[in-house]
Amino acid sequence: MSTFFTPVPGGCCGMTEEGHTKLVSAWRAAWEMYGWETRVLTENDARKHDRFEEMTRKLEEANVNGYNQRCFWRWLAMSSLGEDVAL
């Protein structure tokens, strides 16, 4: 099971950065408790996409905030997984 998480410095959406990190840890523990292998994708995975820089530049030009940029990065990171994975 895969998810994406790259913290927004200082937190966002009413939660601190530490709160988000704890939530991801709880997500991982819950899935692994039932035998799933988990993977938390990050900005580094998104950067593997050949259009990462282009997309990020366009998002910044459009004044898209850090949280919403990460929502787009998630799709770039997921594309690095290939076909034979559980999303």
Side-chain angles (χ1 to χ4, degrees):
M1 182 60 64
S2 300
T3 193
F4 175 84
F5 175 68
T6 293
V8 174
C12 73
C13 313
M15 190 180 292
T16 65
E17 192 172 331
E18 179 184 4
H20 282 285
T21 300
K22 287 180 178 181
L23 182 61
V24 171
S25 294
W27 170 88
R28 181 179 291 233
W31 282 105
E32 290 177 356
M33 182 171 56
Y34 288 98
W36 287 81
E37 291 181 29
T38 62
R39 180 173 176 190
V40 178
L41 301 170
T42 67
E43 178 181 342
N44 290 333
D45 297 293
R47 286 184 176 277
K48 294 175 187 174
H49 195 283
D50 60 351
R51 297 182 75 182
F52 176 85
E53 295 298 333
E54 175 189 358
M55 177 179 279
T56 299
R57 181 177 34 77
K58 289 181 178 185
L59 293 169
E60 288 172 354
E61 288 171 359
N63 295 316
V64 174
N65 69 30
Y67 170 79
N68 287 315
Q69 283 185 22
R70 284 155 177 76
C71 292
F72 285 95
W73 293 353
R74 171 181 53 225
W75 300 113
L76 298 179
M78 289 292 184
S79 74
S80 74
L81 293 178
E83 297 179 19
D84 298 323
V85 296
L87 299 174

